[in-house]
Amino acid sequence: MKTVHPFVPGLIGALVLLAKLGLPSAAFADAPAFVARQALIQLAPGASIQAIHTQYGTSTLQQIPSRRIYLVQVPVAGDEPEFVDDARTDARIIRADLNYVGDNGDAGGTGQSIFLFRTATQYLQDSSYAAADSASAIPGRQGEGVLVAVLDSGLDANHPQLAGRIDPRGFDFLVRQPGAFDTGDGLDNNADGRIDEYVGHGTAVAGIIARVAPRASILPIRVMNSDGVANIYALTEGVYYAIDSGAKVINISIGTYGDPTILTEALREARDRGVSVVAAAGTAGVSSPLFMPAARTADGVISVTAVSSSRVRPAFANYGLWIRISAPGELVTSILPNNQFGAASGTSFAAPFVSAAIALVRSECTTITPEDAALRVQAGAQSVNAQNPNFLGELGSGIVQAASSAGGALSGPDACVCPADFDRDGAVVFLDILAFLNRWFLQDPASDVDGNGAPDAADIFHFLTAWFNGC
């Protein structure tokens, strides 16, 4: 078995997985950790969970009825791997997993936040956004009509930078109630000597998305608490909730070095239902073992590693041929709860740059598949090979260029929409002229149909030419 690699958060801000319901089991010390006395099973159609409980002595802790998935309690601690092995040979059970977790490996003891506090001015001047080609005005619809689910620690919906951006269907899978608030609980949940060090993580991730794709809507889904505590079952619940809520993009700054098959099935369903999944690549500074779910690229996941604003890979950033793209992830400044700002590093903060870029493309290309959206964003990336000669081909297509990707989807020979179909309903009609002119007179960026960065007279000519020609 492979040796587990610890997460390294602290000031590099990588999201960790720990046990939501207790500390990880000590079993399989050379393998990824899991929650003691817990396992996940997915039943075949027609199978009875009660019959499973009768045979194995298990009991239901949680369930996802629509997918026949159960989080079960195993009778004896230490028997979890044996139960999973037996379950995988049971014809009534189509999938079974340990409830994987991961340890950050940082004893800490300082009680310090993972963030370095910043000012609003520093936030506006952060070079990370320019490096990702998102500091200037982004052409087109700017993510309008795209719902981005953020599976994280919740967020502060009252932050001015998120005003009018938050979908009201946010849900907290830790306390199992509506709302997803990014607050501390005053406890040292992961026994690392720090309290509430991850408060603000989800808010920061959402803040990056909101800045790069300013018209996208954000659906907060809380699967991690204020000390970085989460597990694969909660993450799986979050993925299905995002799918069922109509999200077009899912941002996952969460991972494990285990390989949970039930989570993988959720990712496949997301892909098959037209949802783009973007995931952080992890911060152990290794290429192997693979970090999940980011490494599930064959199942449609867009894996994102970190580079600095000068395009150099930080020592903490995972790498490998399984990486699809890079983004700024070193001391990225974003928003924090209570109208604050802060900076942190990690692939956790690189992933939302790519989620936002995908949202920009999907705003223009409303019928595009997740894979084609990913390929468009990858094609718009700029190479980082010159800055990283020892990692050729292992940092993906290069550093994401959000505005360029949006502009390419909007205009030019590879544009995926007819500019005269202004409302993106598939038909070029007189109402499109009215909608365009209304936006143009308001100088709305959505009326920048030629993608040159500003609504001007050329856009009127461009639009009307396309309209009269039927595109």
Side-chain angles (χ1 to χ4, degrees):
M1 293 184 183
K2 297 177 181 177
T3 301
V4 62
H5 291 262
F7 297 88
V8 188
L11 293 181
I12 65 173
L15 181 59
V16 302
L17 283 170
L18 292 170
K20 171 181 166 187
L21 300 173
L23 295 178
S25 168
F28 283 9
D30 59 341
F34 54 87
V35 183
R37 296 189 63 193
Q38 290 187 9
L40 284 69
I41 58 175
Q42 185 170 27
L43 298 188
S48 165
I49 186 61
Q50 190 54 52
I52 298 296
H53 291 334
T54 299
Q55 177 170 339
Y56 295 103
T58 52
S59 58
T60 298
L61 295 171
Q62 308 270 352
Q63 61 180 299
I64 310 174
S66 61
R67 272 74 176 189
R68 307 182 307 281
I69 295 172
Y70 296 84
L71 176 66
V72 300
Q73 182 167 291
V74 179
V76 180
D79 286 353
E80 304 90 346
E82 181 181 355
F83 167 76
V84 168
D85 287 343
D86 290 344
R88 287 175 175 172
T89 64
D90 191 320
R92 298 166 297 177
I93 300 173
I94 57 177
R95 294 178 186 84
D97 289 309
L98 299 168
N99 195 10
Y100 286 113
V101 301
D103 191 341
N104 61 15
D106 181 5
T110 66
Q112 110 183 5
S113 165
I114 65 169
F115 294 96
L116 297 174
F117 288 94
R118 296 288 193 252
T119 65
T121 299
Q122 289 173 310
Y123 166 64
L124 295 174
Q125 296 176 347
D126 187 352
S127 60
S128 301
Y129 296 90
D133 189 25
S134 56
S136 59
I138 293 174
R141 290 154 58 91
Q142 301 188 350
E144 182 177 346
V146 177
L147 180 62
V148 182
V150 176
L151 276 58
D152 215 287
S153 64
L155 53 77
D156 179 5
N158 294 318
H159 198 290
Q161 297 293 328
L162 298 178
R165 305 292 306 283
I166 308 305
D167 190 287
R169 295 170 295 171
F171 197 85
D172 187 330
F173 281 103
L174 301 188
V175 297
R176 314 200 68 78
Q177 66 183 26
F181 305 105
D182 193 358
T183 58
D185 61 10
L187 302 175
D188 184 6
N189 296 282
N190 54 4
D192 70 347
R194 300 180 179 184
I195 296 174
D196 294 338
E197 67 265 35
Y198 276 85
V199 170
H201 192 281
T203 302
V205 168
I208 295 168
I209 295 169
R211 181 166 173 180
V212 180
R215 288 182 179 268
S217 298
I218 296 172
L219 175 66
I221 301 175
R222 188 170 183 251
V223 296
M224 180 190 84
N225 76 8
S226 55
D227 275 337
V229 178
N231 60 44
I232 289 300
Y233 177 76
L235 180 56
T236 302
E237 281 191 301
V239 170
Y240 281 126
Y241 186 78
I243 294 171
D244 292 344
S245 298
K248 287 301 182 184
V249 184
I250 299 175
N251 186 93
I252 303 177
S253 290
I254 297 174
T256 176
Y257 290 98
D259 190 8
T261 61
I262 290 177
L263 174 60
T264 297
E265 182 60 22
L267 301 172
R268 289 171 180 160
E269 181 175 326
R271 175 201 61 196
D272 294 344
R273 290 181 59 178
V275 183
S276 299
V277 179
V278 179
T283 55
V286 298
S287 61
S288 180
L290 300 180
F291 193 67
M292 301 294 176
R296 279 289 171 192
T297 55
D299 299 301
V301 179
I302 305 167
S303 49
V304 185
T305 195
V307 292
S308 68
S309 57
S310 57
R311 305 189 178 189
V312 176
R313 170 191 165 267
F316 63 75
N318 282 356
Y319 57 93
L321 298 178
W322 53 279
I323 301 296
R324 294 195 67 169
I325 196 166
S326 301
E330 188 172 62
L331 288 178
V332 177
T333 303
S334 186
I335 61 175
L336 295 180
N338 302 315
N339 199 21
Q340 297 186 89
F341 301 85
S345 301
T347 61
S348 285
F349 308 107
F353 280 99
V354 177
S355 291
I358 293 290
L360 293 174
V361 168
R362 298 200 63 157
S363 182
E364 305 298 344
C365 311
T366 56
T367 61
I368 197 170
T369 67
E371 182 61 18
D372 284 345
L375 291 175
R376 278 186 173 274
V377 171
Q378 286 183 258
Q382 291 187 355
S383 174
V384 295
N385 286 340
Q387 295 84 3
N388 302 276
N390 294 327
F391 298 93
L392 299 182
E394 296 185 303
L395 301 177
S397 302
I399 186 170
V400 66
Q401 299 295 285
S404 296
S405 297
L410 181 65
S411 63
D414 295 324
C416 59
V417 294
C418 168
D421 180 17
F422 195 73
D423 58 9
R424 306 296 191 263
D425 66 353
V428 178
V429 297
F430 184 70
L431 290 177
D432 288 301
I433 294 180
L434 297 180
F436 166 75
L437 291 176
N438 181 60
R439 293 286 188 98
W440 189 88
F441 280 115
L442 294 173
Q443 289 293 283
D444 189 314
S447 62
D448 176 25
V449 294
D450 63 4
N452 70 352
D456 52 27
D459 291 299
I460 296 178
F461 177 79
H462 187 84
F463 175 84
L464 291 177
T465 299
W467 194 90
F468 281 112
N469 291 330
C471 293

